[in-house]
Amino acid sequence: MSKHALDFAFAMLLCVACIFLWFVADGFRGSPRYAQIDTDFWPKIVTGVAAVLTGIIAAQKAYAWWQERRLSQVGETITIDWARIGRMAAMGGLVLLYFFTFDRVGFLLATVAFLWVAAFSLHGGRIMTKIIFAPVFTIALTALFTKVLGLPVPRGDGVFYQFSLMFY
């Protein structure tokens, strides 16, 4: 399977998932504190923008795939890049692991660990950038949600809760 076909399929999967999450946000319970904005405001912005961007990426990849197929020879055989599929599956598994450990471990540790594993799984880039980006980005997100927006982020259970209390 060509790289463009695989990228198209993955972008379409993400686009459909974002659209699904948009509708899930409709079911969020309202809050009197945020009556003007409501609780589905930020999730809908994030999933809406992500759906549009992944839709654009899917369209670009579909066009590239179409160009590739048009220019390829008729008798060419299709080969499947199992390494690429394996990397995509591993990243999908990492996202699921992050999703399931997010509440138990807390936002700080889960996000830093997720970003480090994802960064070191990708080829290229400076090692110091990979090391520094995860905690700096996580601290900025935590400050944005807790201080600027006044929204709580998960602190974790047990010892992870105690760890989170040291920071916010």
Side-chain angles (χ1 to χ4, degrees):
M1 182 174 281
S2 90
K3 174 189 178 315
H4 297 298
L6 196 57
D7 289 345
F8 167 72
F10 188 67
M12 282 304 297
L13 177 73
L14 288 178
C15 186
V16 168
C18 289
I19 292 169
F20 170 75
L21 290 174
W22 169 280
F23 289 109
V24 167
D26 278 335
F28 290 171
R29 190 175 21 146
S31 170
R33 180 177 178 193
Y34 301 105
Q36 299 297 324
I37 296 177
D38 211 5
T39 55
D40 66 348
F41 180 72
W42 288 108
K44 281 189 170 182
I45 286 178
V46 170
T47 56
V49 169
V52 168
L53 292 176
T54 55
I56 291 169
I57 292 169
Q60 290 173 336
K61 294 304 177 178
Y63 180 72
W65 184 29
W66 176 75
Q67 288 281 64
E68 178 184 66
R69 288 183 54 103
R70 191 172 61 97
L71 297 174
S72 70
Q73 297 177 1
V74 178
E76 214 174 277
T77 59
I78 297 174
T79 58
I80 297 175
D81 187 358
W82 290 106
R84 182 177 298 276
I85 292 172
R87 284 192 301 270
M88 283 179 51
M91 281 299 187
L94 180 63
V95 170
L96 289 176
L97 180 67
Y98 176 69
F99 176 73
F100 288 118
T101 60
F102 188 72
D103 281 337
R104 291 183 194 95
V105 177
F107 179 78
L108 288 175
L109 289 176
T111 305
V112 168
F114 170 77
L115 291 173
W116 273 337
V117 171
F120 284 103
S121 298
L122 300 173
H123 300 292
R126 296 183 184 153
I127 292 178
M128 284 308 293
T129 303
K130 291 179 178 184
I131 291 171
I132 294 171
F133 176 76
V136 170
F137 183 73
T138 303
I139 290 168
L141 273 181
T142 303
L144 173 72
F145 283 118
T146 59
K147 303 297 183 201
V148 177
L149 299 174
L151 299 172
V153 293
R155 293 186 176 213
D157 296 331
V159 69
F160 301 117
Y161 178 77
Q162 297 300 321
F163 178 79
S164 294
L165 287 178
M166 293 189 308
F167 295 98
Y168 65 98

